Amino acid sequence: MGHFISKDNNLVIYDAPKTGGTTIRFWIYFYLYGKLPEYLTRKDSSNQKEDLKYIHSPKQFSKILTGYNQVRFFKYSNKFQKICIYRDPVERFISCYNDKIISEGKWKRIPGMKDPMDVDAFIEGIKFLKPKLIWRFKRLLGIGNDQRKNYINFHFQSLTYHYGNNPNYFDKIFDIKDLDSKLKPFLEDIWNIELPEIHTRNSDAINQEKIKNLPDDIKNKVIKMYSIDYESEWSKIQ
């Protein structure tokens, strides 16, 4: 999804959709400015989704987080310590589906999809949801913004797409389950600060039916979607 360069610490944090990016961005914001965004500390708002809307907007992000780049995967020299967050591809799919397709109502943009709970129709329909040729060309040139222009395709892309095909490029890979227990103390040690506890948007809090588990036949289709991850070195990351 992007990466944040902490030049003073020779650290690069890579981010892919649905791998704890919102929490990481809050920590980056806290590191840069010594406080949380104002809206996050308000006590009078019950609409958590709206509270977090500002931090999710790429256009606003560029104004808040200097040095945070929502661009294609880019490699840095060995002088930088590179880290990323791993999440099982099927778990990523379910989380992304619940957030983008159901909660945000993007199922209406999927060809042939008539029901937000019809995962099978989504898997078939997304095959026909191609980015415009101009944006595919711009990506080849390393320009443009996939996140904004090819929103659905971008979020459902493989870890290999976002992180590259060689996990050994990274010095540390954290599992999404270990954000608080391992990543947080790691960043605190590097930045020499105490980071706040972050409770980001929980899509389950929105009163909508969500996908919790996939039937075996649909799960196998999702595994096939992410075969590039399961058949590569990423499959060895646990």
Side-chain angles (χ1 to χ4, degrees):
M1 192 170 198
H3 53 274
F4 172 75
I5 311 163
S6 186
K7 291 184 178 179
D8 292 342
N9 310 105
N10 287 337
L11 175 70
V12 183
I13 304 172
Y14 286 85
D15 173 20
K18 311 312 293 181
T19 59
T22 304
T23 296
I24 293 169
R25 290 169 201 162
F26 283 134
W27 284 337
I28 292 171
Y29 186 100
F30 190 86
Y31 161 66
L32 291 173
Y33 301 106
K35 62 179 182 179
L36 288 173
E38 246 179 60
Y39 62 85
L40 188 65
T41 57
R42 287 204 306 261
K43 302 295 184 183
D44 59 345
S45 174
S46 60
N47 191 336
Q48 190 182 19
K49 184 178 180 183
E50 281 303 307
D51 273 0
L52 297 182
K53 186 175 181 181
Y54 185 67
I55 204 74
H56 282 297
S57 167
K59 185 179 289 187
Q60 298 293 351
F61 225 167
S62 62
K63 297 178 182 177
I64 307 174
L65 299 184
T66 304
Y68 190 94
N69 304 295
Q70 294 211 340
V71 295
R72 63 186 300 180
F73 179 78
F74 187 84
K75 288 188 176 182
Y76 288 86
S77 69
N78 290 335
K79 79 171 186 177
F80 287 95
Q81 184 170 200
K82 285 87 67 177
I83 68 172
C84 70
I85 313 302
Y86 174 82
R87 189 173 193 174
D88 175 77
V90 172
E91 290 182 10
R92 269 190 73 231
F93 175 88
I94 293 173
S95 177
C96 198
Y97 190 94
N98 285 333
D99 187 22
K100 305 303 174 187
I101 303 306
I102 298 179
S103 295
E104 294 185 8
K106 295 294 191 296
W107 64 273
K108 299 171 186 176
R109 293 172 52 185
I110 306 300
M113 199 170 180
K114 299 179 180 179
D115 180 352
M117 298 297 289
D118 192 345
V119 181
D120 197 25
F122 169 80
I123 293 172
E124 291 303 312
I126 198 173
K127 297 175 184 176
F128 301 98
L129 191 68
K130 302 296 184 184
K132 292 181 179 179
L133 183 60
I134 182 64
W135 287 105
R136 293 167 66 185
F137 180 68
K138 284 186 174 184
R139 177 172 173 79
L140 289 174
L141 296 179
I143 59 178
N145 189 317
D146 286 350
Q147 204 273 0
R148 293 187 213 173
K149 300 301 178 183
N150 305 317
Y151 189 80
I152 297 175
N153 280 305
F154 177 84
H155 280 84
F156 282 91
Q157 285 285 359
S158 65
L159 281 178
T160 300
Y161 174 94
H162 292 289
Y163 290 159
N165 60 8
N166 181 17
N168 293 323
Y169 165 75
F170 297 96
D171 298 288
K172 285 186 178 294
I173 299 175
F174 295 88
D175 191 280
I176 192 170
K177 301 181 183 69
D178 299 326
L179 291 186
D180 288 325
S181 62
K182 294 183 180 179
L183 178 59
K184 183 172 178 282
F186 171 81
L187 293 175
E188 287 175 330
D189 184 58
I190 287 181
W191 290 337
N192 195 28
I193 58 174
E194 183 176 347
L195 294 170
E197 297 286 340
I198 300 295
H199 301 285
T200 57
R201 180 176 65 177
N202 180 1
S203 59
D204 290 336
I206 304 170
N207 189 22
Q208 290 176 304
E209 187 179 5
K210 298 294 174 64
I211 302 295
K212 297 191 184 303
N213 297 292
L214 298 173
D216 287 344
D217 60 329
I218 303 298
K219 183 177 179 179
N220 288 334
K221 289 185 178 182
V222 173
I223 290 173
K224 186 176 180 180
M225 274 181 67
Y226 295 106
S227 60
I228 193 171
D229 289 339
Y230 284 112
E231 295 171 4
S232 70
E233 292 295 310
W234 286 106
S235 65
K236 301 176 183 178
I237 304 298
Q238 296 296 333

